[in-house]
Amino acid sequence: IGTISSLQRQLEIQESQLRKTTSEKEMLQRKLRERESQLQAMSTKICSLSEEREHEEMMMAIEKENCSLRQAVTELESKLAEHDKLISELQGTVSQLRAEVLSSQHHIQKQRQAQEEIQSRAEALQHRELQTRVALECITSRFERYRSKIIQATFSTAGSKPPQAEVTDEEVLEAMQKIINERLEFHQMLKQKGVK
């Protein structure tokens, strides 16, 4: 944004200089037209002179004036050429600055779009993280209830001693395996005795 502001300031300065130069060119062209009008007026005066002496004096004055006017016209044309060149250079600089401003604005727009996309992804990830945490808490709660029921069922069978402290998963597994083994042994014993 600072680069764009700097480029826009340069663009305004160049455009101001271009307007000033164009105004000077128009003024020079106006002076040139005035000089040409004066030259035409002087030529018209020549035609209206009646006496040869006055005509000769006037011709000398006109010739002198013509030389002066031609020199002024040459100088004005030279200045106009310089101003045309300067205007062309200024127009090129203005075009370049405008292109740089547009390029900078496009770059900033792309950066904003990328930032918005990253922000959107971050929000989506946060939402998924929240959903995952909720699901994990739900699964953890269900697992704890299920584990509690297993412990209660395991240690509430006949001959089992209720746990005195926190029971580990390995102790619960051992107790369940013991119950299963005892039931298998009992089942085998019943089969051997012929009891269905």
Side-chain angles (χ1 to χ4, degrees):
I1 293 172
T3 302
I4 289 179
S5 299
S6 176
L7 288 172
Q8 286 176 339
R9 282 197 297 274
Q10 291 181 28
L11 182 60
E12 290 172 359
I13 292 169
Q14 294 292 341
E15 287 178 341
S16 175
Q17 190 174 355
L18 178 59
R19 288 193 296 271
K20 181 180 177 183
T21 305
T22 305
S23 176
E24 289 178 358
K25 177 184 175 182
E26 291 173 354
M27 182 184 69
L28 288 172
Q29 287 176 333
R30 190 166 56 251
K31 285 184 178 181
L32 180 59
R33 287 193 295 270
E34 289 174 358
R35 293 290 187 181
E36 289 174 348
S37 297
Q38 291 175 4
L39 185 58
Q40 185 65 34
M42 295 294 286
S43 297
T44 304
K45 285 181 181 180
I46 292 172
C47 297
S48 65
L49 290 174
S50 58
E51 295 181 359
E52 187 176 344
R53 185 178 174 185
E54 291 178 357
H55 179 71
E56 288 177 358
E57 290 177 355
M58 187 62 71
M59 281 295 292
M60 290 178 63
I62 288 171
E63 189 62 31
K64 188 177 180 181
E65 183 69 21
N66 282 348
C67 289
S68 176
L69 287 172
R70 286 191 192 101
Q71 186 177 358
V73 166
T74 302
E75 291 176 358
L76 287 172
E77 286 176 344
S78 177
K79 286 184 179 180
L80 282 174
E82 291 178 359
H83 277 78
D84 285 338
K85 183 180 178 182
L86 180 59
I87 285 171
S88 178
E89 291 175 355
L90 288 173
Q91 285 174 339
T93 304
V94 166
S95 298
Q96 183 180 355
L97 288 171
R98 283 176 178 164
E100 289 179 7
V101 168
L102 288 174
S103 177
S104 298
Q105 288 175 340
H106 180 67
H107 182 65
I108 288 174
Q109 182 65 25
K110 286 179 67 176
Q111 285 183 333
R112 285 178 179 170
Q113 289 176 352
Q115 186 177 1
E116 289 173 359
E117 184 178 351
I118 291 171
Q119 184 67 27
S120 177
R121 288 182 181 178
E123 290 175 357
L125 286 173
Q126 287 177 347
H127 183 65
R128 287 180 61 185
E129 180 186 6
L130 181 61
Q131 288 181 329
T132 304
R133 284 182 178 179
V134 171
L136 180 62
E137 289 176 0
C138 181
I139 290 170
T140 303
S141 177
R142 290 176 62 187
F143 174 75
E144 289 298 328
R145 288 198 302 271
Y146 181 67
R147 185 174 182 275
S148 177
K149 288 181 179 180
I150 290 174
I151 292 171
Q152 185 178 359
T154 301
F155 290 98
S156 65
T157 56
S160 296
K161 294 181 180 179
Q164 300 298 322
E166 182 69 23
V167 182
T168 64
D169 293 341
E170 288 78 8
E171 290 174 342
V172 174
L173 187 61
E174 288 176 4
M176 288 180 65
Q177 193 64 48
K178 181 179 178 183
I179 292 171
I180 291 168
N181 291 337
E182 288 175 353
R183 290 196 176 192
L184 285 174
E185 289 175 2
F186 184 69
H187 185 265
Q188 290 294 330
M189 186 176 64
L190 291 176
K191 280 179 68 176
Q192 288 175 0
K193 291 185 177 182
V195 179
K196 294 185 179 181

